[in-house]
Amino acid sequence: LNGSVITNLFFLCLSVYLCRENRKATAVEYLALGGLARSLTCAALLPVTVVKTRFESGNFQYSGVMTALRNVKAQEGLRGLYSGGSATILRDAPFSGLYYLFYSKGKDYVAQFHDRHGMHHLHSPLQFSVGLVAGVLACSLTHPADVVKTRLQSQVTDRSTIRAITQIYQTGGVSVFFRGLAPRVLRRSVNAALAWTLFDHVFALLNLR
């Protein structure tokens, strides 16, 4: 959630800038800003993400988040707190850029369709639907990096990204990299669609669109 808010605030800044320049963002600008926003967010929140992943794996017995952070730092050092960092950035940075690219272009397409049929207002349910489709596409393209990230953060010793990719592939081929895609698509697509529908209304109220 924090990551989504920070990313959206970055895009809010871009929207204000582009409004003043009286132009739309290019695809490269969408991708670059999304990547930058998510990279900064990942760097700030990665230790918490590592602990969260370990709690969910069931292989670690921590009494609480702060205890877990202290134990990882004491036993594995900073490298432990930032394990899977490259895979996380490779998942989240492209996701944010691709999501906003798909979402913005999808809204433009739907708006043009509405204009041709004399409808000039894009209703919230339609905006939410565009957000869902954008989320499905972005999640599907970045899910393999999520699988690698989870593997790295669930291990204590071997943190080589290349070895993790090789090991995952050896367990079942390419299909393993898409294991767990459905629940991730459902969770992230709904969250992102809700967030961007809300933020678009805020942008409209502030006259930033």
Side-chain angles (χ1 to χ4, degrees):
L1 179 59
N2 290 339
S4 296
V5 171
I6 293 172
T7 303
N8 287 351
L9 289 175
F10 269 86
F11 283 121
L12 173 59
C13 294
L14 176 65
S15 296
V16 173
Y17 168 75
L18 293 175
C19 252
R20 290 176 178 173
E21 294 291 314
N22 196 28
R23 67 180 180 87
K24 283 185 173 291
T26 65
V28 173
E29 286 173 327
Y30 287 138
L31 291 170
L33 190 68
L36 174 62
R38 274 295 176 176
S39 295
L40 294 175
T41 304
C42 286
L45 301 181
L46 190 60
V48 177
T49 303
V50 170
V51 170
K52 170 180 170 290
T53 301
R54 292 190 177 189
F55 270 120
E56 291 174 346
S57 72
N59 297 326
F60 300 85
Q61 301 300 318
Y62 299 125
S63 60
V65 174
M66 295 308 298
T67 301
L69 289 170
R70 285 195 294 268
N71 286 352
V72 174
K73 173 65 168 60
Q75 297 171 11
E76 304 169 46
L78 286 176
R79 190 178 179 188
L81 289 174
Y82 285 88
S83 60
S86 58
T88 302
I89 291 173
L90 286 173
R91 177 199 67 175
D92 285 355
F95 174 85
S96 293
L98 288 169
Y99 179 86
Y100 195 55
L101 174 62
F102 294 146
Y103 178 66
S104 299
K105 297 300 182 184
K107 280 200 312 174
D108 288 344
Y109 176 80
V110 173
Q112 290 171 8
F113 178 84
H114 270 50
D115 286 343
R116 287 197 299 268
H117 291 80
M119 298 177 288
H120 303 293
H121 180 66
L122 199 60
H123 296 287
S124 295
L126 191 53
Q127 280 185 264
F128 182 77
S129 299
V130 172
L132 281 179
V133 172
V136 170
L137 293 173
C139 276
S140 299
L141 291 171
T142 59
H143 189 70
D146 184 64
V147 173
V148 175
K149 186 254 338 174
T150 301
R151 170 67 69 91
L152 288 170
Q153 292 178 345
S154 299
Q155 297 178 160
V156 176
T157 53
D158 191 356
R159 296 198 180 91
S160 168
T161 301
I162 299 300
R163 278 197 292 273
I165 293 172
T166 302
Q167 291 168 2
I168 293 169
Y169 180 78
Q170 288 174 343
T171 61
V174 175
S175 62
V176 180
F177 288 97
F178 292 92
R179 189 172 293 167
L181 176 61
R184 180 171 177 253
V185 164
L186 180 62
R187 177 176 59 86
R188 294 207 69 175
S189 298
V190 171
N191 287 346
L194 283 171
W196 276 107
T197 301
L198 174 62
F199 267 79
D200 266 337
H201 280 288
V202 173
F203 291 164
L205 288 173
L206 296 176
N207 199 27
L208 296 176
R209 288 293 193 195

